[in-house]
């Protein structure tokens, strides 16, 4: 039993008398390097392996961490660039709608609603001239107004829009809903999406006095829509000038704190 215990506890001493010298200078028995065997038995070899892999793991982890930071930086930049582009689109669409509304609301000698001599060609080829509204010009202006109105709904409904822009857009669409019945009487339909469509035939046959009441003058429906468009454009411009910041949920909200910091410098 004592011999067995000695064998169990100290292999190198047991085999030292039976072994020769290896080519590498270590003790050798039956092709086994006893020095290496002893280091494995004592746990030194295992510790060396753990230290080696821990070092390499840390190196790889650091590399992965740097890669992740780079990806996050690139992603953040892409989001900011996308948001700036969206804000610019809102600003431009608001400006276009304001211009479209202004063309209709203009009064005085440049008003589209001033009657003038209009010459039409009859089916038999004869021409008739009468003093009337230029229905083609008015229809073209109203159709463009509807197009710009719909474009602003699309752009200002994006995640890039700030709270003020969203509230103003909602108010503009609510105003349109109030005028829904009057608009339909002149061939303009308010869709379930809130967008406008203009039926050319119905519009041109409509009572132009009703059309004028809806679209001519600063206090008309078009005049009020132009006011909302101006406000939305101003909000988008402010968001672009002062920057934007992301919330924890990933949404994009105005960087209003920048205005507060200005007071300290």
């Amino acid at each position: 039993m004592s011999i067995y215990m000695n064998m169990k506890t100290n292999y190198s001493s047991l085999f030292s008398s039976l072994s020769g010298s290896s080519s590498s200078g270590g003790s050798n028995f039956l092709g086994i390097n006893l020095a290496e065997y002893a280091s494995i038995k004592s746990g030194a070899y295992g510790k060396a392996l753990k230290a080696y892999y821990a070092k390499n793991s840390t190196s790889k982890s650091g590399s992965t961490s740097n890669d992740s930071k780079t990806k996050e930086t690139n992603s953040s930049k892409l989001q900011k660039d996308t948001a700036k582009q969206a804000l610019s689109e809102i600003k431009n669409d608001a400006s276009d709608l304001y211009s479209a509304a202004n063309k209709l609301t203009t009064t005085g000698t440049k008003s589209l609603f001033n009657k003038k001599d209009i010459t039409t060609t009859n089916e038999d080829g004869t021409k008739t001239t009468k003093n009337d509204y230029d229905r083609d010009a008015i229809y073209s202006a109203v159709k463009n107004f509807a197009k710009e109105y719909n474009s602003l709904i699309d752009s200002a409904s994006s995640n890039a829009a700030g709270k003020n822009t969203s509230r103003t857009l909602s108010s503009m669409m609510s105003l349109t809903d109030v005028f829904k019945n009057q608009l339909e009487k002149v061939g303009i339909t308010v869709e379930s999406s809130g967008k406008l469509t203009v039926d050319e035939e119905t519009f041109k046959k409509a009572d132009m006095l009703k059309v004028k009441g809806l679209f001519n003058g600063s206090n008309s429906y078009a005049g009020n829509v132009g006011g909302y468009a101006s406000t939305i454009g101003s909000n988008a411009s402010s968001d672009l000038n002062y920057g934007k910041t992301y919330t924890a949920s990933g949404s994009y909200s105005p960087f209003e704190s920048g205005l507060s910091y200005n007071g300290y410098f």
Side-chain angles (χ1 to χ4, degrees):
M1 176 65 73
S2 61
I3 294 174
Y4 173 76
M5 291 299 293
N6 288 335
M7 289 174 61
K8 184 176 180 181
T9 57
N10 194 343
Y11 290 101
S12 59
S13 62
L14 173 64
F15 294 133
S16 61
S17 61
L18 301 175
S19 63
S21 297
S22 66
S23 60
S24 61
S27 299
N28 209 303
F29 174 69
L30 300 179
I32 301 173
N33 189 309
L34 296 180
E36 292 180 357
Y37 184 81
S39 69
I40 293 173
K41 181 65 179 176
S42 67
Y45 184 74
K47 292 178 181 179
L49 283 177
K50 288 181 179 179
Y52 173 80
Y53 284 111
K55 180 180 179 180
N56 281 273
S57 175
T58 301
S59 176
K60 290 180 179 180
S61 176
S63 176
T64 301
S65 176
N66 290 334
D67 290 343
S68 297
K69 290 180 179 179
T70 299
K71 288 179 180 179
E72 287 177 4
T73 300
N74 291 338
S75 176
S76 177
K77 183 178 184 303
L78 178 61
Q79 285 179 308
K80 289 179 180 179
D81 289 343
T82 301
K84 285 182 179 179
Q85 183 178 350
L87 284 170
S88 294
E89 187 176 350
I90 293 172
K91 180 181 176 181
N92 292 335
D93 287 345
S95 177
D96 290 342
L97 178 55
Y98 177 80
S99 296
N102 190 57
K103 184 174 183 178
L104 286 162
T105 59
T106 298
T107 57
T109 58
K110 294 183 179 181
S111 174
L112 285 175
F113 292 91
N114 289 332
K115 286 185 177 183
K116 58 184 180 180
D117 290 338
I118 305 295
T119 301
T120 58
T121 302
N122 304 316
E123 292 181 359
D124 59 2
T126 60
K127 297 182 181 294
T128 302
T129 300
K130 63 178 180 179
N131 188 258
D132 198 2
Y133 295 102
D134 188 343
R135 294 171 186 266
D136 289 339
I138 295 172
Y139 166 74
S140 180
V142 170
K143 183 180 180 181
N144 184 57
F145 171 89
K147 179 179 75 71
E148 301 301 347
Y149 180 94
N150 295 342
S151 294
L152 183 57
I153 287 179
D154 285 335
S155 59
S157 296
S158 69
N159 292 332
K163 292 180 179 179
N164 290 334
T165 294
S166 296
R167 279 195 293 263
T168 306
L169 177 67
S170 178
S171 296
M172 184 181 79
M173 294 175 72
S174 294
L175 174 71
T176 298
D177 194 55
V178 170
F179 282 90
K180 181 177 181 178
N181 291 334
Q182 295 181 53
L183 290 167
E184 287 181 348
K185 288 179 181 179
V186 297
I188 303 172
T189 302
V190 181
E191 305 290 348
S192 58
S193 62
K195 295 182 178 181
L196 304 175
T197 57
V198 187
D199 182 80
E200 182 176 1
E201 184 178 358
T202 304
F203 183 86
K204 288 183 177 180
K205 290 180 179 179
D207 183 347
M208 283 296 116
L209 285 177
K210 291 182 179 180
V211 175
K212 183 177 181 180
L214 285 166
F215 292 97
N216 194 226
S218 59
N219 293 323
S220 65
Y221 161 71
N224 282 282
V225 167
Y228 284 124
S230 177
T231 301
I232 290 174
S234 178
N235 290 335
S237 180
S238 294
D239 290 340
L240 279 169
N241 290 336
Y242 293 109
K244 305 278 285 182
T245 184
Y246 289 102
T247 64
S249 63
S251 61
Y252 217 47
S253 59
F255 185 42
E256 296 171 348
S257 58
L259 297 175
S260 300
Y261 291 139
N262 288 339
Y264 293 98
F265 300 98

